[in-house]
Amino acid sequence: MGILENKARARLFYKYLSRVYDTVNPYIWDDRMRNRALDWFDADRDDRVLDVGSGTGFATEGLLNHVDEVHALDQSMDQMERAFAKFGKRGKVRFYRGDAERLPFADDSFDKLWSSGSIEYWPNPVDALAEFRRVTKPGGTVLVVGPDYPKTKPFQKLADAIMLFYDAEEAERMFRGAGFSEMNHYIQQRHVGAPRAITTVATVPDGDVAARASDAEADRIDASAGD
């Protein structure tokens, strides 16, 4: 596990990175890459959308070109303060401070879920992806952007020491481990030689409604048996 796959260290890291994040970010994840991902996300104007790891609001800003309102969650107050300055606290963006692995929302709360530049800091990415599946309606889209695994040994060792980098095979494993069965993986890059991003676009299985109803019924029966 990399040194930044720790929530306390990640918060401290972003306390300082937040000051220059909007300057640095375009060299890794720019408007063109974001807009291509938004095409794959294919949100409708009235979709209820959650942006997990929303940070300073770069993705949120793009999402607002497609939907009327965005629900934005981040664990870093320093990053969120930058977003407040852009959008205000009571505008088209509703802010929440929270953890990707324990989302503070009920089942099926959102039509679509977006997360870019966040998965690399999660200690338990499969748990977070399972949470994404839980809060997104069956048939809804979950899009996750993370750093693609380097191709050379020296950079692989460096990447492994810092945070989560992963390839399409690992993305497939994580998403399937979280209960997804339908997904596509895309490699994005600002230009040749720049860091690559891996973008996964997954669909929440339609069977989740029945599965949740079955689980609820089983819980009810267990509770009755204990009376």
Side-chain angles (χ1 to χ4, degrees):
M1 181 178 289
I3 60 173
L4 292 180
E5 289 175 79
N6 171 284
K7 293 168 188 178
R9 284 196 292 262
R11 283 194 296 271
L12 180 61
F13 175 70
Y14 270 106
K15 178 179 179 66
Y16 298 100
L17 182 63
S18 63
R19 301 171 187 175
V20 296
Y21 185 86
D22 287 337
T23 301
V24 173
N25 187 58
Y27 291 98
I28 301 170
W29 175 249
D30 64 8
D31 290 5
R32 181 183 58 82
M33 296 166 72
R34 180 193 63 186
N35 293 340
R36 187 72 181 107
L38 283 165
D39 288 342
W40 296 324
F41 195 56
D42 194 25
D44 293 325
R45 179 57 59 182
D46 60 352
D47 277 341
R48 183 177 167 89
V49 172
L50 176 63
D51 181 4
V52 176
S54 52
T56 64
F58 180 70
T60 306
E61 189 174 28
L63 287 164
L64 285 172
N65 291 326
H66 297 262
V67 299
D68 291 329
E69 183 181 65
V70 175
H71 298 259
L73 178 141
D74 202 279
Q75 70 157 339
S76 169
M77 201 64 216
D78 296 282
Q79 289 283 81
M80 291 175 69
E81 291 285 354
R82 304 282 170 172
F84 295 159
K86 293 179 183 178
F87 307 111
K89 291 185 179 181
R90 294 177 178 83
K92 292 183 178 181
V93 183
R94 296 188 61 181
F95 291 99
Y96 310 82
R97 190 176 184 188
D99 188 332
E101 295 173 10
R102 294 187 297 274
L103 294 175
F105 307 107
D107 295 355
D108 306 335
S109 291
F110 300 95
D111 298 297
K112 295 177 184 290
L113 186 150
W114 172 291
S115 183
S116 53
S118 182
I119 187 173
E120 55 264 41
Y121 303 105
W122 306 340
N124 303 293
V126 174
D127 292 348
L129 294 174
E131 277 287 270
F132 289 9
R133 198 193 84 214
R134 179 184 67 79
V135 303
T136 307
K137 296 176 183 177
T141 299
V142 169
L143 182 147
V144 176
V145 184
D148 187 43
Y149 199 57
K151 302 304 180 187
T152 62
K153 289 290 184 183
F155 283 107
Q156 288 175 356
K157 290 182 179 180
L158 179 62
D160 291 341
I162 299 173
M163 57 192 181
L164 176 67
F165 285 73
Y166 59 97
D167 58 15
E169 183 178 348
E170 179 67 5
E172 187 84 9
R173 185 196 67 77
M174 291 191 295
F175 273 81
R176 289 193 179 277
F180 292 90
S181 57
E182 183 182 337
M183 71 208 77
N184 291 297
H185 312 289
Y186 306 94
I187 300 300
Q188 295 185 267
Q189 190 174 28
R190 186 169 178 265
H191 57 76
V192 175
R196 293 187 305 270
I198 179 167
T199 300
T200 298
V201 185
T203 302
V204 176
D206 287 333
D208 274 17
V209 168
R212 288 169 189 165
S214 177
D215 289 344
E217 178 65 12
D219 290 343
R220 185 189 66 77
I221 292 171
D222 287 344
S224 299
D227 292 341

